[in-house]
Amino acid sequence: MNDEALPWFLARDSQFTYLEDDFVVVDFETSNLEKGSALNPDNRIVLACWTVVKGDTAVHKYHFGDEYSLYELVKDIQAARFCVAHHAKFEAQWLKRCGLDLTEVLLYDTMLGQWVLDGNVNKDRSLEGIAQARGLGGKGSLVSNLIHLGVCPSKIKPEWLLKYCQKDVQLCLNVFLEQRKELYIRQQLHLVHSRNLACACLADIEFNGMFLDPQRVEDEYNRTAKALQEVSDELEQLSPGVNWGSPKQLAVFLYEVMGFAEVRDFRGKPLRTATGARATGAEVLSKLKPADDRQARFLAAYKLFNKMDSLMSKNLAFFWKVVKEKSATFYGQFNQGVVTSHRLSASGRKIKFSDGKVHSVQFQNMPRQYKSLFCSGEEDWLISNADGAQLEFRVAADLGHDEVALKEIEGGVDIHSFTAQVLTEAGEPTTRQDAKASTFKPLYGGGRGSPAIEEYCNFFKDKYRGISSTQHSWTLQVLNDKYLTTPYGMMFFWPQVEMRKGYITHTTEIYNLPVQGFATGEIIPIALVHFWHRIKGKRILILNTIHDSIISKVHKDVVEEYEEIAKVALTYDVYRFLHEVYGYDFKVPLGVGIKTGKHWDESKVEKIWSVWPDGRESYKEKQ
């Protein structure tokens, strides 16, 4: 595939661009609907302030006016090597409304720079918080207080607003200059570079939205509402008068009326609340064991009610309202700088419905059974899902130089099927899908559970000794140094780590963060960015990205071209970028699984490629 289609800032050593003094620092003051988001068409830019840095010269500029009048700013950014902003996704989306092509601009986000420097430590990453922590002053002012109180910047005196915005630009400039020195010294420019690249990509994706199939949503809503009412009636018959919101009443009903035995921990002690009361939480109730038909009937009804009530309240009711009032489309927001492993998180944009209530829905962790409610919304378009096959296991194998894992990956062994087999043979019959929750338990330091789970964890650690010994060495290093520098350059910190009764505290996190961080905090964003640039001008549109996958809307006539682009982005582009920018040679084959159909994740066939670093490929189809 032609790499000439990729921009210059994806090339070798492009992370060092941030050391050049040829950039623009920008800040916008906007009207304040949805916190001034450019995604709300009723918002507008009130004031733009920017500083153009060329060598030793810094020129300060400003313009009062909306996004259609910022020709000079757009021209200055196009002439510079990169553009600096704090929470740059906000500015990027406004720049897109100004007419700037986001695929052609390199961003630097001072929030993301601090995220890299902080590692897994949660700190104040507001511009003012970062500046004050570095002794660079703050921006506290009357204008700041007015904005925080909800006053629209368009109503604030222009001279006050100008002074406030110019101070923001200067603070951002000062923070950037200090961050780039520190990132260079710590050899972490490549890490912030990949996050900046993803920032522009995510800013663009958020304009697209997800489309619901109206008829499927209607049918599912009605079916669930009917079933929910039926199981609610059954529960009322089994437990007349019980207030399910009262833990005390529920405890009396469960343990005295129904006669359930209390759930006990692995030491044999009853699980109780912090005050010593009998536990009635959902997790405890899920572990109750029926001793007779009456108890079994109640548990089945109670679990079904909780499941369906949760699905209705958290998802279906929202979907139904979106179909009825919002043309079956809703939008998400991707969050960088939040998760300690440095993967993305996401949330749905809040929607105000006709009943006056404001709702949103989780944009990433949607129930599997509801994926089929989504479609392209257009007759000749499909929805496709491309994901990094077994990515976290492959990353662990690479970091641990595990020869056994490498051979199994090269041989096409399905790790989840293997997990299911071991658990089943240990006396706990398990399907492949259900086994996924246990597959990575030992990978992330877990070892306790049912006898079958514990047997599986011990088996895993003994079989994949390269992985387990590497992870154990991480815990010893952290115990000694209080931090860990991963092979790909990220630093994670555990200042409170200690040895307690032969156990190193924070072991689960120490096992987890380098693996999850590399897989979904580095590799998937790298693949996403390359995919985004490669689909430019084609009939392919990214709708969402979830952990290790990219969900796209694809015209039926370009499906084969899409599949090739997805394969290249998730494998060849990752290998090259890691080598040329990270200085890391990934040696384990990377995999890609693609499903395409009229509805999301609804395909009879999954196409799966494995690609080796030397260019070898294998292909199979799974029904």
Side-chain angles (χ1 to χ4, degrees):
M1 185 163 286
N2 182 15
D3 286 344
E4 293 180 1
L6 298 176
W8 63 267
F9 44 75
L10 291 180
R12 181 187 299 273
D13 296 334
S14 50
Q15 71 272 27
F16 297 117
T17 303
Y18 304 120
L19 301 177
E20 300 177 22
D21 288 331
D22 184 0
F23 57 89
V24 174
V25 186
V26 65
D27 184 63
F28 293 128
E29 300 301 333
T30 71
S31 54
N32 61 351
L33 298 173
E34 291 188 72
K35 298 182 179 180
S37 172
L39 301 177
N40 188 320
D42 293 327
N43 276 325
R44 66 180 181 86
I45 292 176
V46 176
L47 167 65
C49 290
W50 68 101
T51 295
V52 180
V53 176
K54 294 281 187 182
D56 296 330
T57 303
V59 179
H60 308 293
K61 301 182 180 183
Y62 70 90
H63 177 81
F64 282 97
D66 63 23
E67 56 272 28
Y68 305 109
S69 60
L70 290 170
Y71 315 112
E72 185 177 1
L73 170 61
V74 170
K75 184 177 178 181
D76 284 343
I77 291 174
Q78 290 173 330
R81 292 283 276 173
F82 58 98
C83 177
V84 180
H86 191 77
H87 276 295
K89 181 154 66 73
F90 178 90
E91 270 73 22
Q93 288 173 334
W94 278 110
L95 288 171
K96 179 181 172 72
R97 282 183 57 172
C98 289
L100 190 65
D101 184 345
L102 294 183
T103 64
E104 296 178 358
V105 61
L106 173 61
L107 299 175
Y108 180 95
D109 186 339
T110 46
M111 185 276 291
L112 297 179
Q114 197 60 45
W115 188 29
V116 169
L117 292 168
D118 291 343
N120 57 319
V121 180
N122 287 320
K123 294 183 179 180
D124 182 354
R125 285 191 275 271
S126 66
L127 178 58
E128 186 167 25
I130 295 171
Q132 289 181 339
R134 292 177 173 274
L136 299 174
K139 60 176 184 177
S141 68
L142 175 60
V143 172
S144 179
N145 292 332
L146 289 172
I147 291 174
H148 288 152
L149 288 172
V151 177
C152 182
S154 63
K155 305 298 183 183
I156 297 173
K157 283 189 176 183
E159 57 269 29
W160 294 0
L161 194 65
L162 177 59
K163 184 177 180 180
Y164 173 80
C165 192
Q166 288 177 328
K167 190 167 187 179
D168 262 6
V169 171
Q170 189 60 49
L171 276 180
C172 188
L173 172 59
N174 294 341
V175 166
F176 164 68
L177 294 175
E178 288 214 353
Q179 281 184 352
R180 73 174 180 179
K181 291 177 187 175
E182 190 173 353
L183 289 163
Y184 177 74
I185 291 170
R186 283 172 48 167
Q187 300 182 44
Q188 291 185 317
L189 283 170
H190 61 289
L191 298 173
V192 74
H193 186 39
S194 66
R195 284 149 183 76
N196 290 331
L197 295 171
C199 179
C201 173
L202 297 171
D204 190 53
I205 295 173
E206 286 184 3
F207 281 92
N208 298 335
M210 298 279 284
F211 186 84
L212 289 157
D213 183 319
Q215 190 59 56
R216 286 199 177 190
V217 170
E218 182 78 19
D219 292 345
E220 183 66 18
Y221 179 85
N222 291 334
R223 184 193 69 78
T224 303
K226 180 182 178 181
L228 185 58
Q229 185 60 55
E230 290 174 351
V231 72
S232 179
D233 292 343
E234 183 178 4
L235 270 180
E236 180 60 29
Q237 293 175 3
L238 291 169
S239 55
V242 174
N243 178 3
W244 295 101
S246 168
K248 186 175 181 179
Q249 285 190 37
L250 185 54
V252 170
F253 174 75
L254 290 173
Y255 303 117
E256 297 178 20
V257 178
M258 293 296 294
F260 280 105
E262 288 187 71
V263 177
R264 297 176 181 273
D265 62 19
F266 68 95
R267 294 182 294 268
K269 294 182 178 181
L271 294 175
R272 296 289 181 93
T273 66
T275 61
R278 291 173 293 187
T280 59
E283 184 177 355
V284 170
L285 289 177
S286 69
K287 297 177 181 178
L288 290 175
K289 302 295 183 183
D292 54 42
D293 290 343
R294 179 166 168 261
Q295 290 181 350
R297 183 185 171 196
F298 165 77
L299 274 184
Y302 182 78
K303 290 178 180 178
L304 181 59
F305 173 82
N306 274 340
K307 178 180 179 181
M308 301 190 80
D309 183 61
S310 177
L311 290 172
M312 178 62 81
S313 62
K314 294 181 179 179
N315 296 277
L316 266 182
F318 176 86
F319 293 161
W320 187 79
K321 286 184 176 181
V322 167
V323 166
K324 295 297 181 182
E325 300 184 21
K326 301 297 178 181
S327 303
T329 304
F330 69 98
Y331 299 83
Q333 172 181 302
F334 298 99
N335 307 310
Q336 295 176 288
V338 175
V339 183
T340 56
S341 67
H342 283 242
R343 74 193 304 175
L344 293 174
S345 67
S347 51
R349 283 177 59 203
K350 292 181 179 180
I351 297 176
K352 187 174 183 178
F353 293 101
S354 59
D355 59 8
K357 295 181 179 179
V358 177
H359 296 287
S360 66
V361 70
Q362 231 294 337
F363 204 62
Q364 288 188 323
N365 297 323
M366 297 179 195
R368 176 178 291 272
Q369 67 264 40
Y370 290 162
K371 289 183 177 180
S372 62
L373 300 180
F374 293 87
C375 62
S376 70
E378 296 187 63
E379 182 62 30
D380 292 331
W381 291 70
L382 306 169
I383 280 192
S384 188
N385 184 85
D387 65 55
Q390 300 180 345
L391 182 59
E392 291 187 5
F393 181 64
R394 293 174 190 239
V395 164
D398 197 85
L399 291 172
H401 309 291
D402 195 299
E403 295 296 330
V404 174
L406 175 59
K407 289 180 181 179
E408 290 189 347
I409 292 167
E410 290 183 328
V413 174
D414 185 337
I415 183 65
H416 299 305
S417 295
F418 168 73
T419 304
Q421 178 185 338
V422 173
L423 290 174
T424 299
E425 292 175 353
E428 193 172 294
T430 309
T431 64
R432 179 189 183 277
Q433 183 60 40
D434 290 339
K436 286 184 176 182
S438 301
T439 295
F440 298 129
K441 189 178 182 72
L443 186 63
Y444 296 139
R448 289 181 175 174
S450 66
I453 292 292
E454 291 186 3
E455 183 174 334
Y456 166 72
C457 289
N458 291 330
F459 185 85
F460 182 100
K461 292 175 183 178
D462 184 63
K463 181 178 183 180
Y464 302 114
R465 294 184 180 180
I467 295 174
S468 58
S469 63
T470 296
Q471 291 179 310
H472 181 62
S473 72
W474 293 342
T475 64
L476 296 178
Q477 183 179 338
V478 171
L479 181 63
N480 183 67
D481 300 334
K482 310 303 181 187
Y483 70 90
L484 174 71
T485 301
T486 68
Y488 56 92
M490 177 56 70
M491 295 179 70
F492 295 115
F493 305 90
W494 289 275
Q496 306 301 324
V497 71
E498 60 181 344
M499 179 78 77
R500 292 181 187 171
K501 298 180 180 179
Y503 175 78
I504 299 174
T505 60
H506 305 285
T507 288
T508 300
E509 294 174 31
I510 297 169
Y511 273 44
N512 177 19
L513 294 191
V515 176
Q516 190 183 95
F518 199 14
T520 53
E522 310 296 335
I523 289 176
I524 290 301
I526 290 170
L528 176 69
V529 165
H530 282 79
F531 180 80
W532 178 57
H533 282 285
R534 288 192 182 280
I535 65 173
K536 182 177 180 180
K538 304 182 186 298
R539 288 177 289 178
I540 303 168
L541 193 69
I542 303 174
L543 303 180
N544 202 344
T545 176
I546 301 177
H547 304 323
D548 61 355
S549 63
I550 303 170
I551 299 91
S552 304
K553 175 178 173 178
V554 183
H555 192 276
K556 63 182 180 63
D557 294 340
V558 298
V559 170
E560 288 187 7
E561 183 180 18
Y562 156 80
E563 290 173 345
E564 181 65 17
I565 291 173
K567 180 187 71 175
V568 169
L570 281 155
T571 58
Y572 292 104
D573 285 336
V574 170
Y575 287 132
R576 180 196 60 79
F577 195 81
L578 288 178
H579 173 72
E580 294 185 358
V581 177
Y582 279 55
Y584 185 100
D585 289 321
F586 200 94
K587 294 181 170 57
V588 172
L590 289 169
V592 183
I594 297 178
K595 290 183 179 181
T596 303
K598 292 296 291 184
H599 292 81
W600 182 13
D601 211 34
E602 193 172 81
S603 172
K604 294 180 179 179
V605 176
E606 181 181 14
K607 298 181 178 181
I608 302 172
W609 286 266
S610 279
V611 177
W612 279 254
D614 61 10
R616 286 177 292 146
E617 293 185 13
S618 68
Y619 172 76
K620 66 178 181 180
E621 294 184 359
K622 186 167 68 175
Q623 301 294 325

